[in-house]
């Protein structure tokens, strides 16, 4: 069993940065992790993911070069550094964990979810 708690969301202006954190309890190190986001009226989508074994990563095209996902297994924490934020990045951001041996892109393949942290980017 894994419990995930996100923090770090807030209101920023376009071009600014935020760092989201996801603190995990339980056996964390063997799970592949991802950040998803859900904007009002839209489906939840993957933003970035990281593999536990080799820290390889995946990014949604629209955030490549701006967002960086990382993990600290010793602290049971996953981070999402978000730079050059845009109004279209506005959403609730969720941390998720999967027992899958690969890095899924879809919501249904993730086993544990945090409660979400809102990010609002004003223009």
């Amino acid at each position: 069993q894994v419990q995930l708690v996100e923090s770090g969301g807030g209101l920023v202006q376009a071009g600014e940065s935020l760092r989201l954190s996801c603190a995990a309890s339980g056996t964390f190190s063997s799970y592949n992790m991802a950040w998803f986001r859900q904007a009002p009226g839209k489906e939840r989508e993957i933003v970035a993911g990281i593999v536990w074994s080799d820290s390889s990563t995946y990014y949604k095209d629209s955030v490549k070069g701006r967002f960086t996902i990382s993990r600290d297994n010793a602290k049971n924490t996953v981070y999402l550094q978000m730079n050059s934020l845009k109004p279209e990045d506005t959403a609730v951001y969720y941390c998720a964990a999967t027992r899958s041996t690969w890095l899924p892109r879809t919501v249904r393949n993730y086993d544990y979810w945090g409660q979400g942290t809102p990010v609002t980017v004003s223009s």
Side-chain angles (χ1 to χ4, degrees), residues 32-111:
N32 292 336
M33 302 294 295
W35 286 94
F36 284 74
R37 68 186 180 189
Q38 187 166 19
K42 295 189 176 181
E43 293 187 353
R44 194 171 296 188
E45 62 178 5
I46 190 169
V47 175
I50 187 165
V51 176
W52 77 270
S53 58
D54 61 5
S55 293
S56 57
T57 56
Y58 162 83
Y59 295 97
K60 176 180 172 63
D61 284 346
S62 63
V63 308
K64 285 180 181 177
R66 300 190 297 123
F67 290 12
T68 303
I69 188 171
S70 62
R71 66 189 296 161
D72 186 335
N73 287 339
K75 295 183 178 179
N76 281 6
T77 302
V78 177
Y79 304 97
L80 185 67
Q81 177 67 43
M82 305 187 295
N83 299 328
S84 302
L85 282 161
K86 304 176 180 180
E88 51 264 44
D89 295 318
T90 294
V92 177
Y93 283 70
Y94 297 90
C95 177
T98 178
R99 289 187 291 257
S100 298
T101 56
W102 70 99
L103 193 60
R105 309 288 194 263
T106 55
V107 170
R108 62 183 176 87
N109 290 119
Y110 284 80
D111 304 291

